[in-house]
Amino acid sequence: MLNRSTSLISLATIDPDIERYRDDRDDDAQPLAIDAVRNQAEAELSLCARCQNFDVQSFARSANRRKGYLLKHIEAAANQSCQFCALLLDAVKDVEKPEYFYVNAIQGRTTLNPDLYVHMTISESYKDEALATTSPGLQANRFLIELGDRFSGMRNQSKHEICIAADPGSPAALSGDVLGRYIGCDPSSASHYETARSWLQACASHSKCNETVSGSVHIDPYNSPLPTRVIEIARENDRQRLYLRHTDGHHGAYITLTHRWNEFTGRCITTTSNYEGRLLGEDFGELPQLFRDAFIIAEKLGIKFIWIDSICIIQQGDDLADWRCEAPKMAQYYQFSVFTLAGTAEDMSGGLLRSYTKDSVPWSLKLVRLPYRDKTNTIAGHFYSYRRRVPLVDEYMDQVRSSILFRRGWILQEWLLSKRLLWYTPDGLFFECQQELPRSYDQSQLTFTRAGSELQAHLQLKALFHFSNTDILGFWYRALEVYSGQHLTKPDLDRILAVAGLAKEVGPTLANPKRLSSLDNEVQHEVYVAGLWLRDIHHGLLWEEHHTAPPCTSKVFVTPSWSWASLLTLVRWPSRSKATKAAFMVTGICFHERDKHDIPDHLVFDGYKLRPFNPIVMTEQLSPFDPTNMFSCLHIRGTLHTVHVRGYLETEENLKTAALSTTYSPIPKSCNWRAICSAFRPEIIAGWGSLERLQPHPIACADIGIAVYTLHVSTRYLRHGLWIKTSVPVLDVLFLEEVEAGSNSFRRLGVGRIADGALIAELEDAKERDIKLV
């Protein structure tokens, strides 16, 4: 993404009045040899005379904070062992050389060969100079490297990152000129803990990091309500000792640990048999290195409480009462903690404080030491320059977002809810907070524009989880799309539970988008049903198995068939249409699973509010908000009609036609769509259906089709015409089957769209009926 293709430019674009370099005009000079004066330091012996005179202040004297060296001089100096020139040459070795030419009517095209320069632009994490703060010094941690001529502005970027760093306490660091730091390869070193403290201190002034997602509560992470139980880290006789504490509503500072469960962490669970002993500081058994390191890190950072789910939640066999009670509270636990601690290595048996390998950290590539000159042009020590082995955005993607930890189902809400996260990766520390882009151990920060589309979507997701986002439902569906592809050890129990914390914050955000003073009452109007929101049920029901997902064979039977949570597969939601109209009405809801649902638990009014189904009770009572709700039966009044499902739309042309005719985007190149036809006109393809639950019929074939019910969910419109616009209706539908003949209860088979006018007319002529969707 950073490389730009070779481009052709005209000399007419070259501005002869452009500001010239002020102190780096070496185009008339001869290549400078290595100075071999005996008394010079070893670092200076490895630099050419030009680099020995390197002046970082010269960047400030340039209007664009840029300077350049002639490529041919760099090549010559690198051949004579100048380490900095070799570093620059290595950074541009794969960069395409721009082509320069001019054209006139007589001679035609004439190609030019101007001298090429290696341009260095000094910056902080590639931030635009216009966005620079008023802080003292250059505030720099890297050079943007480009290859091009001197004046035209046509330059091709290097994909390599040249970083600069200074020792803590050095003049280069104290002046604010060099922000990058070298903290070494030992994560248990004092420099690592000092780096973590500086991140936490800087985050203290971030508004988004010190309020709940819904904006309803201000957070003081050092004086927050403690979780129901925490582990206290005490020091007795100069030895660390652990106690399980029941907090009884007390306040304090604590951290949370996110981790993957395995056989080692599974042995650490708190049960009714060891609970009393742990209260007394005993019976913790042999803790895994991951947990022991977490206790060390907390203690080093001055925090004496830590919450670890496997220790702080009581479990006893199949009795999950405490787990179900505590899971919804995670919305509070992760948001109110000082930070969440996470290790991303695939093998965590070595814990969090294992030293980095020399082959992983950027500094294993040789550090080049450059002289540091202050604003008086006096040499005041030195600073370092090095090339990152992997660009920062790629390192974060590989070490954090693509790590095995992020494939764990519970991590999504823990990442989204945590205001601050401290990632211990095999290559170094990363810090992430709600308000800013992630930072790395060398004090550099991710740059959104340099990230790939997948990483950009990942970063945007966390930024959108805030009450200022006017499309919080759009966030909800995007989060579920990510979550649906992650792994759960116990999906039958946790498919809904693992996003309960998110739902607990989305609920009040939906009910109070402008932070109404009546928050506590209004939030009760939000009805959460098996992973969807009643107010948006017409869109929520339209989830589809993702086109890239393999055929789904695993189901979660405790959840209703119409919920995305009922299938263990990657799902997606369609894009919204502004003119979409709802086509059915939810009249009632049952929250409890039973044999028959003839009478709903609650009646629905105003589209998304509930009252108990009890004619004797005249006062309006509302259902409590329950983010752990897994089962719901929807009582619906709508239009049912029979259609036929035929063979698969196998060719790209058929898929393209089906997508365009039903306003579906993006157009799939391959998927499991099947042709939908009217029972009266089987030769006409009326639409498409994605039927993930449809079982093979013993006697039906693709020519005849399988008869299924279709429920009209909503109507969107396809606009036609260049001069005169016309709107053609397209129906969003669910495909259903009756659970038992005559039961009037239906389960979902799939989703689709219908665009054929004749079949649409058949649905419009059908009478409304009351059904139950289970």
Side-chain angles (χ1 to χ4, degrees):
M1 184 181 69
L2 302 180
N3 277 327
R4 185 168 59 193
S5 317
T6 299
S7 301
L8 308 182
I9 68 169
S10 167
L11 278 184
T13 65
I14 298 178
D15 182 1
D17 297 321
I18 194 169
E19 181 180 357
R20 297 174 179 272
Y21 295 115
R22 298 186 180 183
D23 64 339
D24 62 337
R25 294 184 60 185
D26 60 357
D27 47 313
D28 296 324
Q30 295 299 315
L32 300 169
I34 297 293
D35 189 341
V37 179
R38 180 176 303 176
N39 293 330
Q40 286 185 312
E42 180 181 350
E44 294 178 338
L45 286 173
S46 63
L47 299 177
C48 65
R50 178 181 56 240
C51 293
Q52 289 177 33
N53 292 314
F54 190 91
D55 181 11
V56 73
Q57 306 299 334
S58 64
F59 290 93
R61 294 191 291 269
S62 171
N64 47 23
R65 294 166 63 100
R66 183 185 301 124
K67 62 188 295 181
Y69 289 164
L70 270 169
L71 177 61
K72 60 185 179 183
H73 289 176
I74 288 177
E75 291 172 336
N79 287 333
Q80 297 184 48
S81 302
C82 175
Q83 291 186 356
F84 187 62
C85 287
L87 191 68
L88 294 176
L89 187 62
D90 186 54
V92 298
K93 64 182 180 181
D94 299 324
V95 178
E96 285 188 281
K97 295 180 179 179
E99 184 178 355
Y100 303 90
F101 68 92
Y102 68 89
V103 179
N104 62 38
I106 299 174
Q107 294 179 324
R109 169 178 164 142
T110 300
T111 300
L112 302 176
N113 294 294
D115 285 329
L116 294 181
Y117 284 74
V118 176
H119 299 269
M120 297 173 283
T121 304
I122 199 167
S123 71
E124 179 190 357
S125 303
Y126 302 116
K127 291 180 180 177
D128 192 320
E129 174 59 14
L131 302 177
T133 66
T134 57
S135 302
L138 288 166
Q139 298 287 301
N141 56 26
R142 65 195 59 227
F143 296 125
L144 173 67
I145 305 298
E146 299 169 300
L147 183 65
D149 73 323
R150 185 168 184 176
F151 299 117
S152 72
M154 174 55 63
R155 297 180 293 271
N156 286 351
Q157 282 189 25
S158 169
K159 65 181 179 181
H160 300 293
E161 296 186 349
I162 302 297
C163 303
I164 57 176
D167 291 319
S170 67
L174 295 175
S175 67
D177 285 332
V178 181
L179 297 181
R181 296 290 180 267
Y182 171 62
I183 61 175
C185 298
D186 180 8
S188 62
S189 66
S191 59
H192 278 72
Y193 293 119
E194 182 57 37
T195 297
R197 288 189 198 95
S198 68
W199 285 332
L200 294 171
Q201 183 177 4
C203 187
S205 62
H206 296 164
S207 58
K208 282 188 176 182
C209 299
N210 294 285
E211 63 185 358
T212 56
V213 169
S214 57
S216 56
V217 179
H218 174 75
I219 297 172
D220 178 359
Y222 292 93
N223 187 31
S224 289
L226 294 172
T228 304
R229 301 177 201 89
V230 292
I231 303 157
E232 182 181 358
I233 306 161
R235 181 135 310 255
E236 299 177 0
N237 299 322
D238 204 31
R239 294 184 62 183
Q240 192 181 80
R241 188 171 182 181
L242 307 176
Y243 294 87
L244 183 64
R245 298 298 194 197
H246 197 283
T247 60
D248 293 322
H250 285 86
H251 287 56
Y254 67 95
I255 68 173
T256 46
L257 176 70
T258 180
H259 64 95
R260 289 187 302 127
W261 280 57
N262 54 37
E263 60 176 313
F264 302 106
T265 56
R267 296 172 190 166
C268 300
I269 62 173
T270 297
T271 65
T272 52
S273 60
N274 62 22
Y275 176 64
E276 294 295 334
R278 292 184 172 188
L279 292 176
L280 298 173
E282 303 168 351
D283 204 12
F284 279 91
E286 185 178 352
L287 295 172
Q289 190 64 46
L290 169 64
F291 289 5
R292 294 201 296 268
D293 284 353
F295 299 141
I296 292 172
I297 293 168
E299 190 175 23
K300 289 286 187 181
L301 294 176
I303 300 169
K304 69 176 184 177
F305 296 122
I306 184 169
W307 185 84
I308 303 176
D309 55 3
S310 54
I311 295 180
C312 296
I313 297 177
I314 301 175
Q315 301 174 65
Q316 187 65 37
D318 295 330
D319 184 1
L320 300 175
D322 193 52
W323 178 259
R324 291 198 171 278
C325 178
E326 289 293 292
K329 299 178 183 178
M330 292 182 190
Q332 174 184 316
Y333 293 174
Y334 284 99
Q335 288 190 97
F336 283 62
S337 69
V338 176
F339 65 88
T340 293
L341 186 62
T344 67
E346 188 155 349
D347 178 11
M348 290 303 302
S349 60
L352 298 168
L353 300 178
R354 182 168 44 187
S355 295
Y356 316 132
T357 64
K358 290 184 178 180
D359 293 333
S360 63
V361 294
W363 297 291
S364 61
L365 300 172
K366 183 177 293 185
L367 282 169
V368 177
R369 198 170 83 173
L370 292 169
Y372 170 70
R373 283 179 166 79
D374 61 22
K375 292 182 179 180
T376 66
N377 201 35
T378 302
I379 294 181
H382 53 266
F383 66 100
Y384 305 98
S385 181
Y386 62 93
R387 179 176 67 82
R388 268 188 175 274
R389 178 180 282 105
V390 178
L392 180 61
V393 290
D394 294 339
E395 184 179 350
Y396 175 86
M397 187 68 185
D398 179 61
Q399 296 296 318
V400 178
R401 179 62 185 90
S402 299
S403 68
I404 192 170
L405 182 67
F406 244 102
R407 296 197 290 273
R408 171 178 168 262
W410 285 88
I411 187 63
L412 182 71
Q413 76 165 9
E414 294 165 2
W415 168 64
L416 287 169
L417 288 166
S418 297
K419 296 302 178 182
R420 290 157 291 273
L421 296 105
L422 190 58
W423 301 100
Y424 277 76
T425 81
D427 288 3
L429 288 180
F430 277 94
F431 178 77
E432 193 168 352
C433 74
Q434 181 70 41
Q435 187 156 313
E436 293 191 343
L437 292 170
R439 294 184 176 274
S440 76
Y441 41 88
D442 61 353
Q443 297 300 333
S444 55
Q445 187 174 28
L446 265 69
T447 309
F448 186 79
T449 55
R450 297 174 74 88
S453 57
E454 185 178 357
L455 179 54
Q456 286 185 346
H458 167 82
L459 297 172
Q460 283 177 324
L461 187 64
K462 188 170 179 68
L464 290 172
F465 192 31
H466 189 257
F467 70 88
S468 60
N469 176 15
T470 57
D471 185 21
I472 196 67
L473 281 172
F475 157 82
W476 176 255
Y477 295 122
R478 176 62 189 134
L480 292 184
E481 288 175 349
V482 175
Y483 169 73
S484 65
Q486 295 178 305
H487 173 72
L488 288 168
T489 305
K490 299 177 180 179
D492 286 345
L493 299 173
D494 297 341
R495 184 69 164 165
I496 295 290
L497 207 59
V499 290
L502 296 182
K504 199 163 186 179
E505 285 301 312
V506 170
T509 304
L510 278 173
N512 292 270
K514 297 181 180 179
R515 316 314 318 141
L516 300 177
S517 59
S518 55
L519 174 65
D520 292 338
N521 293 325
E522 288 292 319
V523 71
Q524 302 301 326
H525 289 168
E526 286 308 317
V527 182
Y528 182 67
V529 284
L532 295 174
W533 301 93
L534 181 58
R535 72 155 64 207
D536 198 45
I537 197 67
H538 294 87
H539 183 76
L541 289 173
L542 299 180
W543 58 271
E544 175 189 0
E545 187 175 39
H546 200 283
H547 301 155
T548 61
C552 178
T553 57
S554 301
K555 300 178 177 63
V556 181
F557 292 101
V558 70
T559 55
S561 65
W562 49 263
S563 170
W564 57 269
S566 64
L567 295 181
L568 295 179
T569 189
L570 193 64
V571 301
R572 69 182 301 273
W573 272 264
S575 57
R576 290 182 184 270
S577 174
K578 293 182 179 179
T580 300
K581 296 181 180 179
F584 70 78
M585 179 189 305
V586 178
T587 59
I589 290 181
C590 296
F591 286 116
H592 304 286
E593 190 173 10
R594 49 182 179 263
D595 292 336
K596 292 186 178 182
H597 296 273
D598 295 334
I599 300 175
D601 297 336
H602 295 83
L603 297 178
V604 177
F605 66 100
D606 287 350
Y608 68 99
K609 300 179 182 179
L610 303 183
R611 64 162 61 97
F613 184 81
N614 187 340
I616 299 177
V617 179
M618 300 303 294
T619 57
E620 191 176 290
Q621 296 180 18
L622 300 175
S623 169
F625 176 73
D626 181 9
T628 67
N629 167 263
M630 296 184 70
F631 178 82
S632 293
C633 165
L634 300 179
H635 289 250
I636 287 174
R637 180 173 298 125
T639 302
L640 278 186
H641 188 63
T642 301
V643 297
H644 281 193
V645 179
R646 296 184 61 188
Y648 290 97
L649 301 175
E650 296 179 341
T651 67
E652 283 191 38
E653 186 62 30
N654 284 342
L655 290 173
K656 182 178 180 181
T657 301
L660 291 176
S661 65
T662 58
T663 71
Y664 187 96
S665 65
I667 298 172
K669 292 186 176 180
S670 64
C671 63
N672 293 320
W673 282 1
R674 300 180 69 164
I676 303 300
C677 305
S678 166
F680 304 104
R681 299 197 308 162
E683 74 282 2
I684 302 297
I685 297 178
W688 58 266
S690 175
L691 292 105
E692 61 280 341
R693 286 179 177 267
L694 183 64
Q695 298 298 318
H697 198 281
I699 60 172
C701 64
D703 292 332
I704 300 175
I706 302 172
V708 300
Y709 290 100
T710 182
L711 172 68
H712 184 189
V713 176
S714 56
T715 303
R716 61 184 68 219
Y717 293 90
L718 174 63
R719 294 179 64 83
H720 285 289
L722 182 61
W723 302 108
I724 301 176
K725 298 290 186 180
T726 59
S727 294
V728 177
V730 174
L731 308 189
D732 295 311
V733 297
L734 291 185
F735 299 105
L736 311 175
E737 67 177 359
E738 197 165 14
V739 175
E740 182 180 344
S743 66
N744 211 32
S745 293
F746 294 82
R747 68 169 63 95
R748 172 190 153 132
L749 297 175
V751 68
R753 292 186 188 176
I754 293 173
D756 176 62
L759 183 53
I760 290 175
E762 291 179 27
L763 275 101
E764 290 176 344
D765 290 340
K767 293 182 178 180
E768 284 191 339
R769 56 184 290 190
D770 292 318
I771 66 169
K772 285 96 68 178
L773 202 57
V774 296

